[in-house]
């Protein structure tokens, strides 16, 4: 296992001012969007090589592997980069709740905002 992110992958990333890329986490078999997290090169390297999702915590300024304290692990099934290189889609097998509130998804916990539903003309 290498100690740095593959340079060909690193070159494709468009990072924010803090060196981070958004990572959308999706349940692999249902398509359910579970959460959004942030990864730097090291978190992405660990995710790609370790079989479990690792994030960079912006609030704690440290790496955290989802589920190490809660038991609600995310097992990697695939990782894709979007066309602009500024977002990752990580498909996982989620064990238990994805949200720190105990909800299945962070979007369930956040709730619906009541948007007007659009229709095709």
């Amino acid at each position: 296992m290498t100690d740095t992110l593959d340079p060909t992958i690193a070159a494709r990333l468009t990072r924010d001012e803090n060196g981070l890329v958004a990572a959308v986490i999706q349940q692999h078999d249902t398509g359910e969007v579970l959460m959004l997290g942030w990864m730097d090169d090291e978190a992405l390297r660990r995710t790609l090589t370790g079989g479990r999702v690792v994030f960079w915590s912006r609030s704690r300024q440290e790496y955290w592997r989802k589920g190490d304290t809660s038991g609600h692990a995310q097992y990697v099934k695939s990782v894709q980069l979007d066309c602009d290189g500024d977002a990752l889609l990580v498909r996982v097998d989620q064990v238990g709740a994805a949200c720190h509130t105990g909800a299945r998804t962070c979007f369930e916990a956040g709730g619906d905002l009541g948007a007007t539903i659009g229709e095709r003309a």
Side-chain angles (χ1 to χ4, degrees):
M1 182 172 14
T2 180
D3 289 340
T4 59
L5 183 63
D6 179 327
T8 59
I9 295 171
R12 296 177 60 199
L13 298 176
T14 304
R15 300 161 192 81
D16 70 7
E17 62 278 359
N18 298 309
L20 302 173
V21 175
V24 176
I25 311 301
Q26 180 182 47
Q27 177 64 33
H28 76 101
D29 53 355
T30 65
E32 181 180 31
V33 177
L34 301 172
M35 61 178 286
L36 174 86
W38 297 93
M39 294 184 183
D40 65 3
D41 287 19
E42 178 60 15
L44 179 55
R45 182 194 70 79
R46 292 182 190 187
T47 298
L48 291 172
T49 61
R52 297 255 314 268
V53 180
V54 176
F55 298 103
W56 174 254
S57 171
R58 296 179 301 167
S59 60
R60 295 187 312 265
Q61 294 291 293
E62 65 184 14
Y63 296 103
W64 59 284
R65 190 170 71 166
K66 185 71 171 168
D68 279 355
T69 57
S70 67
H72 299 162
Q74 295 174 337
Y75 294 94
V76 176
K77 296 298 181 183
S78 67
V79 180
Q80 293 175 276
L81 184 62
D82 81 338
C83 60
D84 296 323
D86 61 358
L88 300 160
L89 176 61
V90 183
R91 291 189 177 103
V92 302
D93 184 11
Q94 174 71 47
V95 175
C99 186
H100 73 281
T101 66
R104 171 71 180 164
T105 81
C106 292
F107 298 99
E108 175 186 330
D112 190 298
L113 299 180
T116 299
I117 306 302
E119 296 188 30
R120 292 183 190 198

